[in-house]
Each structure stands twice: as C-alpha cells, then as structure tokens.
Amino acid sequence: GEWGFEGLIMTDWNGGSSTPWKSMHAGNDLIMPGGKGRAMNILQAVRTVMPEFDERGQVIMVQEVPFAPVFAASWNSFTVDPEGPDTVMAPLGEGHTAEMKDGEILVDGEKVYMQANDMKTFFNDPASFVPKICPANEEVAFILDDGRAIGYKGHLDKKPRLCLGDVQRCAVHNLRIILKCMGL
C-alpha cells in the first residue's frame, strides 16, 4: 500500500525460501504450495501438526519428486532432539515389536530411520545414494509398552505463527483483486 501498487504479490510454485508467516507479514498476498512439503509448511503456520508414523513406528517418508528416490521425513511440527522437553509416541501395528540392539531401535529386526537424504546428495552420487539415513538410536528414541511403541524426544512446536491480521489483510486484498478482475 505504501507505493500505491494495486496488484497481487504471490510466490512461484515451490518458490520462496521463507516461511509462510514471514512471507505474509512482509506483504505477500498469496502463497503457492507446490507440493506436500510446501503445503505442510503453510498448515504448520496455523496449527500444530503431529508427526506421521507407519505401522512399524517409522516416520513416514514422503517422496519429494517423482523422478528421484528423494524423500522428506514427516516430522511436521516436531523436531527430534535428545535435549528436547517433549515426547511423541509411535505405536506399532499388530504383530510388530521394537527392540533396542547396539544402541539402535529395530522393529522386526530392521532399523527404523529418522531422516532422508536430500536432492543434492542424490545428484552428487546417484549410484551410491541411500534414501533413508540416521537410524533411530537410544539418544533420541526409546521403547515403550514392552516393544509395542517407540517414543521420540524433541521439541513440539505448539505455537501458531501466522498472525490473524496478516491473514485478514491477504484475504481482503485477494478478494479485491478477484472482484476487480470480474469487473465488479
């Protein structure tokens, strides 16, 4: 408004390295998600999103792009940290059992991983690329309920960051642009 600009400011799909709340507060009117990771980033700006686990207590790994075995771990609003004050629990499905062996969490004899390798690592050496990295260990994970669940230590971000005033400003501006485009 300071310069009299009457257009719409929006990100490119998958564009922008900022977080939604910073971007909107700075004057962005429309954030284009560009994939599940970006959409989740927008959702986390307004509410706490719990981590997602499969039946083995493995954090869900979502493939980021269809052409490469590059994944993102669905920790969502949770950050794994051995010093963290919060704990999240991953219950195991029927017939699965967790155990601690050599300091690492195993479920049905297989390692449980906490992270995935990134796109840069894949393109640097695709022949020896390993999609999942960082096995869950006793520093950040523990067994619960006689092997029926895995607990993870860390920080759960419970604070919404998107200001209501920024959302209202963007909504009003977007509606004004739409009405103008319709000739109303």
Side-chain angles (χ1 to χ4, degrees):
E2 295 169 5
W3 296 344
F5 177 70
E6 294 183 17
L8 182 78
I9 299 172
M10 67 183 248
T11 65
D12 190 7
W13 280 75
N14 256 340
S17 58
S18 182
T19 56
W21 52 93
K22 289 179 184 175
S23 179
M24 287 179 75
H25 192 69
N28 195 333
D29 297 305
L30 184 60
I31 299 170
M32 305 308 287
K36 185 173 179 167
R38 290 289 186 186
M40 185 57 69
N41 192 317
I42 294 167
L43 185 58
Q44 285 175 271
V46 295
R47 70 177 176 91
T48 300
V49 182
M50 296 303 287
E52 298 176 54
F53 301 100
D54 68 12
E55 69 281 350
R56 293 183 55 253
Q58 166 74 59
V59 66
I60 298 290
M61 301 281 186
V62 178
Q63 192 164 2
E64 290 194 318
V65 291
F67 59 84
V70 177
F71 298 86
S74 299
W75 288 108
N76 301 326
S77 298
F78 188 74
T79 304
V80 178
D81 180 354
E83 304 298 320
D86 301 311
T87 301
V88 294
M89 186 177 80
L92 303 186
E94 190 68 37
H96 298 287
T97 306
E99 65 177 320
M100 183 75 68
K101 186 174 182 183
D102 298 326
E104 294 180 339
I105 303 279
L106 303 179
V107 173
D108 305 331
E110 296 180 27
K111 291 181 183 180
V112 173
Y113 293 92
M114 298 186 303
Q115 294 179 15
N117 250 323
D118 59 15
M119 187 76 75
K120 183 179 178 183
T121 306
F122 172 73
F123 282 118
N124 282 341
D125 189 8
S128 63
F129 180 77
V130 178
K132 296 177 184 176
I133 59 172
C134 196
N137 60 47
E138 61 190 355
E139 193 175 313
V140 294
F142 51 94
I143 309 276
L144 296 165
D145 195 20
D146 294 325
R148 303 283 302 131
I150 301 170
Y152 293 93
K153 296 183 246 180
H155 298 274
L156 184 60
D157 187 359
K158 301 172 192 150
K159 184 169 63 174
R161 304 214 187 287
L162 198 54
C163 297
L164 181 57
D166 291 337
V167 173
Q168 291 168 331
R169 178 191 51 79
C170 291
V172 167
H173 192 195
N174 287 331
L175 288 171
R176 191 177 297 130
I177 295 292
I178 292 168
L179 289 173
K180 189 175 183 180
C181 289
M182 294 174 62
L184 300 174

